[in-house]
């Protein structure tokens, strides 16, 4: 049996986390993991809803050492919870705050206080760290299924550890770093980059998940350097609209949607640090990185490569357990059908073909959000074709200082008129989730409501 340690820290007094400006030692962390593992109720499947990133990490580690599997759906709505119960009838929930699902789900509340055995001062280098079987399934993440029930994808300890160690090596993250994330730890990106990576490279994670720019800046300023910000384009854009001086960081990481080069340049200038993007998918986890300011090309993580076979592109090697097909539109830039470098053009589902002209939602969204005065915006594909067989694009926009006519004129200068949105609807805010993404059904429902209101208004 091949094993890998739960954490990479070598000393019991090493800092594994920061909570409210207070360091948490490896000794305390391992003690809490052991305590929580011993208190968990029966049931092999767990829905970990802890909002505090450190408590999430302790609960995750407790589940790992006790052989449990963490279920990590993309949302935590009552319907999602019911679906988790269908997939795993023995599932229970771990929480560190109030929860109101309205469904019958056993709940384990994270202990508010724990009595841990006193550490031996003479044993600071004697860590009794659990070794985990590399083949052990520690989590299931989900993609949307054609029947409406989410499709689970297993995540094994060995592949996850190899993945985040490769990430840390690529980004130059080591034991001295403090890592703050604006994304939830339940999300695959958050799990890999803000929880598992610090545990596996000896760094320290930040327990909070600040959302507003002022809170993010305050949390960063309270962390020792070197420090890293793990975030999204949505949060970056909000941070950069604030004219105040941003705290210096030593590394920026972004994911969930491609960044424009202009935004990346501004972020590097304002924060005084290199910015990297990370690309991946639910099925494989992270696959590649790029420093956006130096070019559009992506470089796969060590030992990972992409292979084209007919119309299908496969990711394989490195931490990927078996060849996995990708659903994105990708152009290999190396010679031949196998490459470690590529360009990302969007998702197959995002391709738009109107009147014989082709583009992608990613391109349209980039052009829309690059218009001065647009704070946020998104193009939406039609649910179905119109009566003439030609689908109409729609757009939702946050642009309080622009008129519809001015925005349409600006779009005409950037995109082919056939792709102009009809309708173009102004909103106060887009319903983005905690990772900055727009849930499809919620966004379409908002569009339908606004469209109906617009048709009822007098001309």
């Amino acid at each position: 049996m091949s094993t890998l340690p739960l954490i990479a820290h070598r000393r019991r007094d090493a800092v594994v986390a920061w909570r409210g400006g207070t360091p948490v030692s490896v000794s305390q962390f391992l003690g809490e993991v052991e305590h929580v593992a011993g208190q968990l109720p029966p049931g092999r499947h767990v829905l970990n809803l802890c909002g505090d990133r450190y408590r999430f990490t302790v609960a995750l580690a407790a589940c790992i050492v006790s052989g449990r599997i963490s279920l990590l759906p993309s949302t935590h709505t009552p319907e999602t919870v019911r679906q988790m119960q269908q997939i795993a009838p023995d599932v229970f929930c771990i929480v560190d705050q109030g929860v109101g699902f309205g469904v019958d789900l056993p709940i384990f509340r994270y202990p508010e206080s724990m009595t841990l055995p006193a550490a031996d001062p003479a044993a600071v280098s004697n860590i009794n760290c659990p070794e985990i079987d590399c083949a052990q399934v520690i989590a299931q993440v989900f993609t949307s299924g054609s029947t409406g029930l989410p499709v689970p994808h297993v995540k094994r300890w060995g592949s996850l550890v190899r993945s985040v160690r490769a990430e840390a090596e690529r980004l130059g993250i080591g034991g001295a770093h403090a890592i703050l994330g604006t994304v939830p730890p339940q999300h695959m990106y958050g799990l890999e980059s803000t929880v598992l990576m610090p545990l596996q490279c000896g760094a320290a994670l930040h327990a909070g998940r600040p959302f507003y720019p002022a809170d993010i800046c305050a949390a960063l300023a309270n962390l020792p350097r070197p420090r890293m910000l793990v975030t999204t384009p949505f949060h970056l854009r909000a941070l950069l609209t604030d004219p105040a001086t941003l705290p210096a960081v030593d590394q920026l990481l972004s994911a969930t949607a491609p960044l424009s080069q202009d935004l990346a340049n501004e972020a590097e200038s304002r924060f005084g640090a290199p910015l990297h993007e990370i690309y991946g998918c639910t099925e494989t986890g992270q696959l590649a990185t790029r420093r956006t300011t130096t070019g559009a090309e992506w470089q796969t993580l060590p030992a990972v490569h992409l292979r084209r076979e007919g119309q299908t592109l496969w990711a394989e090697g490195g931490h990927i357990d078996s060849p996995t097909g990708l659903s994105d539109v990708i152009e290999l830039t190396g010679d031949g059908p196998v490459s470690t470098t590529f360009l990302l053009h969007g998702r197959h589902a995002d391709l738009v073909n109107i009147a014989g002209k082709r583009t992608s939602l990613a391109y349209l969204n980039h052009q829309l959000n690059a218009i001065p005065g647009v704070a946020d915006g998104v193009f939406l594909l039609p649910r179905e074709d119109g009566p003439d067989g030609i689908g109409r694009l729609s757009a939702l926009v946050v642009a309080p200082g622009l008129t519809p006519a001015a925005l349409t004129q600006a779009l005409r200068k950037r995109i082919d008129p056939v792709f102009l949105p009809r309708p173009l609807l102004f909103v106060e805010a887009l319903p983005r989730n905690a990772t900055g993404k727009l849930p499809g059904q919620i966004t379409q429902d908002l569009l339908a409501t606004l469209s109906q209101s617009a048709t009822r208004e007098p001309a």
Side-chain angles (χ1 to χ4, degrees), residues 191-342:
L191 176 70
E192 289 173 319
S193 297
T194 73
V195 174
L196 295 179
M197 184 173 70
L199 292 185
Q200 287 300 317
C201 71
L205 62 92
H206 183 271
R209 198 186 86 201
F211 181 83
Y212 296 106
D215 296 331
I216 296 172
C217 291
L220 279 172
N222 284 332
L223 285 176
R225 297 185 67 179
R227 54 197 180 208
M228 176 185 191
L229 175 61
V230 179
T231 189
T232 70
F234 172 72
H235 290 108
L236 263 183
R237 194 175 293 114
L239 280 164
L240 296 177
T241 58
D242 191 333
T245 300
L246 298 174
V249 298
D250 299 277
Q251 183 71 261
L252 289 163
L253 185 66
S254 178
T256 72
L259 275 177
S260 70
Q261 196 165 55
D262 288 344
L263 187 62
N265 279 321
E266 185 181 359
E268 288 200 353
S269 175
R270 295 279 303 279
F271 279 102
L275 182 149
H276 289 83
E277 288 185 88
I278 200 154
Y279 163 74
C281 62
T282 302
E283 294 86 349
T284 63
Q286 53 199 7
L287 288 174
T289 65
R290 69 176 179 183
R291 184 171 177 185
T292 318
T293 56
T294 63
E297 191 174 65
W298 296 84
Q299 173 73 49
T300 60
L301 291 175
V304 174
H305 61 264
L306 304 186
R307 172 175 56 86
R308 188 172 297 284
E309 187 176 301
Q311 297 300 311
T312 304
L313 198 70
W314 299 90
E316 55 191 4
H319 64 274
I320 304 171
D321 290 330
S322 60
T324 304
L326 301 178
S327 60
D328 291 320
V329 182
I330 289 174
E331 174 189 348
L332 300 183
T333 54
D335 295 331
V338 177
S339 180
T340 59
T341 58
F342 62 92

Side-chain angles (χ1 to χ4, degrees), residues 6-350:
L6 181 68
I7 60 175
H9 302 71
R10 300 296 180 89
R11 295 173 57 89
R12 296 185 66 88
D13 60 349
V15 178
V16 74
W18 289 90
R19 298 191 71 219
T22 302
V24 179
S25 69
V26 166
S27 178
Q28 180 179 342
F29 171 73
L30 292 177
E32 291 188 29
V33 169
E34 182 179 3
H35 179 87
V36 172
Q39 299 294 315
L40 293 176
R44 187 162 180 250
H45 295 87
V46 182
L47 196 60
N48 186 344
L49 300 184
C50 290
D52 180 294
R53 196 180 309 271
Y54 173 72
R55 289 180 171 182
F56 170 91
T57 304
V58 170
L60 173 74
C63 290
I64 292 172
V65 300
S66 61
R68 290 175 168 85
I69 298 172
S70 296
L71 304 182
L72 301 173
S74 59
T75 63
H76 300 126
T77 62
E79 177 58 27
T80 300
V81 174
R82 281 189 285 268
Q83 290 172 335
M84 293 300 102
Q85 287 178 301
Q86 288 181 258
I87 293 169
D90 67 340
V91 65
F92 66 92
C93 182
I94 300 179
V95 301
D96 61 350
Q97 54 193 353
V99 63
F101 289 128
V103 295
D104 184 19
L105 187 68
I107 290 178
F108 173 80
R109 298 194 176 278
Y110 191 96
E112 287 298 325
S113 60
M114 303 184 203
T115 302
L116 305 177
D120 180 359
V124 293
S125 61
N126 182 24
I127 296 179
N128 184 21
C129 182
E131 289 284 330
I132 311 301
D133 183 355
C134 289
Q136 180 178 327
V137 176
I138 71 156
Q140 288 183 345
V141 296
F142 298 86
T143 53
S144 300
S146 58
T147 63
L149 196 66
V151 177
H153 301 273
V154 301
K155 299 297 176 182
R156 301 182 186 277
W157 179 245
S159 61
L160 282 172
V161 170
R162 291 194 301 272
S163 169
V164 299
R165 286 183 177 179
E167 177 188 11
E169 178 184 348
R170 170 66 56 80
L171 300 176
I173 305 301
H177 281 81
I179 299 176
L180 182 144
T182 65
V183 292
Q186 290 86 355
H187 186 270
M188 192 66 190
Y189 170 42
L191 176 70
E192 289 173 319
S193 297
T194 73
V195 174
L196 295 179
M197 184 173 70
L199 292 185
Q200 287 300 317
C201 71
L205 62 92
H206 183 271
R209 198 186 86 201
F211 181 83
Y212 296 106
D215 296 331
I216 296 172
C217 291
L220 279 172
N222 284 332
L223 285 176
R225 297 185 67 179
R227 54 197 180 208
M228 176 185 191
L229 175 61
V230 179
T231 189
T232 70
F234 172 72
H235 290 108
L236 263 183
R237 194 175 293 114
L239 280 164
L240 296 177
T241 58
D242 191 333
T245 300
L246 298 174
V249 298
D250 299 277
Q251 183 71 261
L252 289 163
L253 185 66
S254 178
T256 72
L259 275 177
S260 70
Q261 196 165 55
D262 288 344
L263 187 62
N265 279 321
E266 185 181 359
E268 288 200 353
S269 175
R270 295 279 303 279
F271 279 102
L275 182 149
H276 289 83
E277 288 185 88
I278 200 154
Y279 163 74
C281 62
T282 302
E283 294 86 349
T284 63
Q286 53 199 7
L287 288 174
T289 65
R290 69 176 179 183
R291 184 171 177 185
T292 318
T293 56
T294 63
E297 191 174 65
W298 296 84
Q299 173 73 49
T300 60
L301 291 175
V304 174
H305 61 264
L306 304 186
R307 172 175 56 86
R308 188 172 297 284
E309 187 176 301
Q311 297 300 311
T312 304
L313 198 70
W314 299 90
E316 55 191 4
H319 64 274
I320 304 171
D321 290 330
S322 60
T324 304
L326 301 178
S327 60
D328 291 320
V329 182
I330 289 174
E331 174 189 348
L332 300 183
T333 54
D335 295 331
V338 177
S339 180
T340 59
T341 58
F342 62 92
L343 298 175
L344 177 64
H345 298 301
R347 299 186 66 84
H348 286 288
D350 288 349

Side-chain angles (χ1 to χ4, degrees), residues 265 437 440 452:
N265 279 321
K437 292 187 175 182
Q452 290 173 4

